[in-house]
Amino acid sequence: MSFLHIIGFGLKVGHLLLMLCWWVVSVISMNWFISSEAMETKSGFVRDGAKMWLKLWDKISGNICKIYHHCYQYIGSKRVRKTWWRNLLITWIVFWILISFSVFWYMSSQAGEKRKETLASMCDERARMLQDQFNVSMNHIQAMSILISTFHHGKSPSAIDQRTFARYTERTAFERPLTSGVAYAVRVLHSEREQFEEQQGWTIKRMDTLEQNPVHEDEYNPEALEPSPIKEEYAPVIFAQDTISHVVSIDVLSGKEDRENVLRARASGKGVLTAPFRLLKSNRLGVILTFAVYKRELPSNATSNQRIEATDGYLGGVFDIESLVEKLLQQLASKQTILVNVYDTTNSSHPISMYGSNVSDDGLHHVSTLSFGDPFRKHEMVCRFKQKPPWPCLAITMSIGILVIAFLLGHIFHATVNRIAKVEDDCRKMMELKKRAEAADVAKSQFLATVSHEIRTPMTGVLGMLDMLMDTDLDVTQQEHVRTAQDSGKTLVSLINEVLDQAKIESGKLELEAVQFDLRTILDDVLSLFSGKSQEKVELAVFISDKVPKVLIGDPGRFRQIITNLMGNSIKFTEKGHIFVTVHLVEEVMESMEFETLSSSRNTLSGLPVADRLQSWARFRTSGQDGPHSAISSSLSDLVNVIVSVEDTGVGIPIEAQSRIFTPFMQVRPSISRTHGGTGIGLSISKCLVGLMNGEIGFASLPGIGCTFTFTAMFTNGCSTNSDHKNWQVSNQLNSASSEFQGMTALIVDSRVVRAKVSRYHVQRLGIHVEVAPNLSHAFSHVSSGNTVSNMVLIEQEAWDEDLDLSALFVNKLRNFDRGTPPKLFLLSNSISAIKNGFATTSDYTPTVIMKPLRASMLAAALQRAMGVGNKAYYCNGKLPDLSLHNLLLGRKILVVDDTNVNLRVAFGALKKYGADVVCADSGKRAISLLKPPHNFDACFMDIQMPEMDGFETTRRIRKMEQNINDRIQRGELPLDADRNVSYWHLPILAMTADVFQATHEECQRCGMDGYVSKPFEAEQLYREVSRFFHSPEDQNS
């Protein structure tokens, strides 16, 4: 079992190390994703592909952790005995001690090798410099030998004397940096000696006695030297440099070293070096370099005898080795680092020291070979370090560091083994806490659903009763009080929804629907919502690009919520100017970025400067190219990536507050909530919703100028799918209105390009061809030209008030129009008060006023009334007429199930208003007894949360009861209902819910409900749901 214990411990240690590495990688990747998400208002959002990679990473890490956890639980939980652990620890320490010594030995040897290489490099450098300078001096001496042969022996009389030679050698001494002096000895035969001595005026002296008895420099006297003995030939010095002028008249053939040197030089024809010897007079160690001077040029293959016969004299250069080497070393900065010795190793058994000391404290040395041009003589330079080698500090530090790390790791492993049991206990506790946290999360969700229902239920009764109260006979004051109460109730419901949305966001329970919707209709509804709240000096407008599909698939409620939050903020902080909402495709915006940069900042809806939207658009430059397509199940061809901008000319956002603008419950300043109201969570919720729509949100703001919020959202193209036309009643009515204006032409008069573009967009939605004129003069020219027949002229209030005389003239010209029916005149105005003083026309041709903000439904109704076409009772503001619901519900028998008496009364009154026959039940059991087939009910509105039996369970039992009846009818056990001729029982059941949880909606579908409506009833939603089951008499007849 001991081996099993060791394996278990190894798995534990490996598990811990792997988890540590995995944790480090996870933290780095998570920090990268979190920092990218924190900078989303500056550089855009994290791409969806990165999010998917993060999910995949978490999944892989989770599986690996599970595998290691199983192995760990199987083997690693067994304890390792202390003796085995002690032996393992000792083995660990001994192993790392050996490793430490090995590292020390290796690094020390490397340091020694590096010291050898450094010494060799320095020694070779000095040898090379000494050799190069010696070669320079040797070449110059050889050149002087040619000069003497030419100007002394080659001319008669000679052009050189002692004075000339001395001056020349003195001036050219810098070219021979290593020579102490230069001298020339002429060859004299014994027969020529007497004549030579008379000619020179001195006697040829001998050298050998001076070599045997050297004298000090101060005691040297050349006159005291003995004459040279009688020989066959002599070599007296006749020319000498001033530094060695004492050698003049001395016979160099009488000296031992010089004689051998001279004889070798004239026989070989090359420079010849002497062995080191003490120089005359100075008594310093030196050598002499000798070149023979010939009478004529000799062939390269001349014999020794021919060279001897042709010899005229001998030129020698004296080298003071000690002083010259010392002078060379002085030129090097590292002179003090090493010791240099120069040896003559011609006799390898007895080398002659030419320079330096033989004492050294370090056995490490390097030998560099010297070549001075004489192959007979051999020289070497030996170099040593002056100081002892330093301690290998790096090797010592590294080895000690390895030991310390090894000991620390051993300590860590030891502590790890001792704490494994505690870690296991903590892990079990954490798992228990995790289960509790999950249970608390479920309880929180249930609490939110319950609180949502319980808070909204009484508000449903309040709002429902107020709505019923509005249908009674009230005076103006009472109606105003009821409207105020309704607005307060709706505000409270909106606040509750925001708080619940924030709670759902924090718990991760917020989900989106995927239904068909008309984006243009939604924005028209939002404009209708804010049209009464904006001030007279603030203009609201919406523009949607023609490239945006008419039908999209997504969550219209959440999209409306984002637009409402952004526009609501703009309404609060904008006192003059405009609030402008634009919708484009991302690809369209990216293509027009370069063009937009050329536009003026004042080329806006109201003419006031705005925060440049390009600053926020540019952050989404990559959205259209590599957006988060991978997270959407639809095909790429069906995806629609829209970009929405909400531009205002309000107070802007201070720079110091821009970083926290999306933080929940954070206000720009504490006084904001007191001045303008709000909780500070609208933008936080909008940011989350945009993220769920696979988009991103940002803003550009200039304090005192305004803000431009921009966000992107991903939808599916609904035009490519089969849609139920009954779900698009508003669009169908708008299409029918458009058909009434087909073929008409409208002329818009507006000096502002952006505002004219908005007006043109809304008019074109009705199928009218539109042309634009910048002022009234161009407008009249266009109308009177006759090229195009204009059926209507829409004039902007600003263009009308710019010149009232011109406006009156324009009206008179239209009144006297002689080219058929004059066009209808309309005035587009943002304020009623601005119109009262603006008319300067007669009563028979007063322009029809169309109030802004423009919406297609409102515009169609106004044009229908003025033009006399179509249905003049066309609904306004995109709301469905009550007549449609009345036609659907008239005579329908409907069961309403709710345990609250107030809610029953509200639902009863709301449905009764549309002509339905309503029956109420206060419990699920009562509903089951009433809906047992056969029955005469056409639909059932079921509350969800009821005591004893909730709406879900009630619906399940009703469906089970219907299924049993249907099975018996199919088997022939029961006859068909003779009155209703029903062969398959399935009563439409609609849930009445006060909460807004997606999970509630899903539960409605699972239990068999056919849909749901919110409390209190909303006409549009109620129509959308009941129209799926009921048909109006007109539809049935058609």
Side-chain angles (χ1 to χ4, degrees), residues 490-507:
K490 291 179 180 178
T491 302
L492 180 58
V493 172
S494 176
L495 178 60
I496 294 172
N497 290 340
E498 287 185 350
V499 175
L500 292 176
D501 283 344
Q502 183 64 31
K504 286 188 290 183
I505 290 172
E506 294 176 354
S507 61

Side-chain angles (χ1 to χ4, degrees), residues 79-147:
R79 292 182 174 274
V80 181
R81 290 183 300 178
K82 293 184 178 180
T83 54
W84 278 100
W85 167 239
R86 187 181 298 109
N87 294 336
L88 181 62
L89 186 62
I90 293 174
T91 304
W92 172 272
I93 294 174
V94 172
F95 172 77
W96 282 106
I97 289 176
L98 295 177
I99 293 295
S100 176
F101 277 109
S102 301
V103 170
F104 175 79
W105 174 82
Y106 175 77
M107 296 187 69
S108 299
S109 62
Q110 289 295 315
E113 290 296 328
K114 185 176 181 180
R115 183 176 172 86
K116 289 181 181 180
E117 293 177 0
T118 303
L119 178 63
S121 175
M122 297 173 67
C123 192
D124 291 341
E125 179 186 12
R126 286 155 175 76
R128 185 173 59 255
M129 291 181 63
L130 180 62
Q131 183 174 297
D132 292 343
Q133 293 192 21
F134 188 89
N135 290 336
V136 170
S137 300
M138 183 177 67
N139 293 336
H140 192 266
I141 293 173
Q142 185 178 9
M144 288 184 63
S145 68
I146 299 174
L147 182 143

Side-chain angles (χ1 to χ4, degrees), residues 762-985:
H762 288 287
V763 176
Q764 283 182 336
R765 291 176 63 188
L766 303 179
I768 303 174
H769 176 71
V770 180
E771 296 187 6
V772 179
N775 51 52
L776 290 174
S777 299
H778 286 77
F780 184 77
S781 300
H782 183 275
V783 173
S784 61
S785 63
N787 296 331
T788 304
V789 177
S790 297
N791 302 98
M792 61 192 77
V793 178
L794 293 88
I795 305 176
E796 179 63 35
Q797 177 72 37
E798 182 179 346
W800 179 271
D801 294 339
E802 186 175 359
D803 190 345
L804 295 179
D805 295 335
L806 183 60
S807 300
L809 180 61
F810 181 76
V811 172
N812 292 331
K813 289 182 178 180
L814 289 183
R815 188 188 311 144
N816 300 325
F817 191 73
D818 56 356
R819 295 180 179 272
T821 304
K824 291 291 183 179
L825 186 61
F826 297 90
L827 192 63
L828 305 178
S829 177
N830 197 46
S831 172
I832 291 292
S833 60
I835 301 174
K836 295 180 180 179
N837 299 325
F839 289 155
T841 62
T842 59
S843 59
D844 57 347
Y845 204 79
T846 302
T848 301
V849 178
I850 299 178
M851 295 301 299
K852 293 184 178 181
L854 297 179
R855 285 95 69 197
S857 57
M858 177 272 298
L859 186 60
L863 294 181
Q864 284 177 340
R865 287 193 299 268
M867 303 294 294
V869 297
N871 181 14
K872 296 183 180 180
Y874 187 78
Y875 66 93
C876 298
N877 297 338
K879 295 182 179 179
L880 292 167
D882 292 344
L883 182 60
S884 299
L885 271 173
H886 190 274
N887 293 336
L888 289 176
L889 299 178
L890 181 63
R892 304 291 183 179
K893 189 173 183 179
I894 297 177
L895 175 64
V896 178
V897 184
D898 200 315
D899 63 309
T900 304
N901 187 38
V902 175
N903 290 342
L904 284 175
R905 293 177 60 187
V906 171
F908 179 87
L911 296 174
K912 196 72 175 179
K913 181 175 63 174
Y914 300 122
D917 181 12
V918 183
V919 177
C920 297
D922 59 358
S923 66
K925 294 181 178 179
R926 176 63 177 165
I928 293 175
S929 63
L930 292 175
L931 295 179
K932 183 177 181 180
H935 57 75
N936 296 324
F937 290 99
D938 298 296
C940 175
F941 287 80
M942 179 82 66
D943 185 30
I944 292 178
Q945 296 188 0
M946 295 183 296
E948 297 184 6
M949 184 184 299
D950 60 15
F952 298 136
E953 181 62 27
T954 303
T955 303
R956 291 191 187 96
R957 295 191 180 187
I958 293 173
R959 295 303 184 210
K960 185 176 181 181
M961 186 169 54
E962 291 177 341
Q963 183 64 37
N964 293 333
I965 296 296
N966 292 332
D967 293 342
R968 294 179 65 185
I969 292 176
Q970 290 181 358
R971 291 195 298 266
E973 298 177 3
L974 290 178
L976 295 178
D977 189 352
D979 295 332
R980 306 187 62 181
N981 193 23
V982 177
S983 60
Y984 183 81
W985 287 92

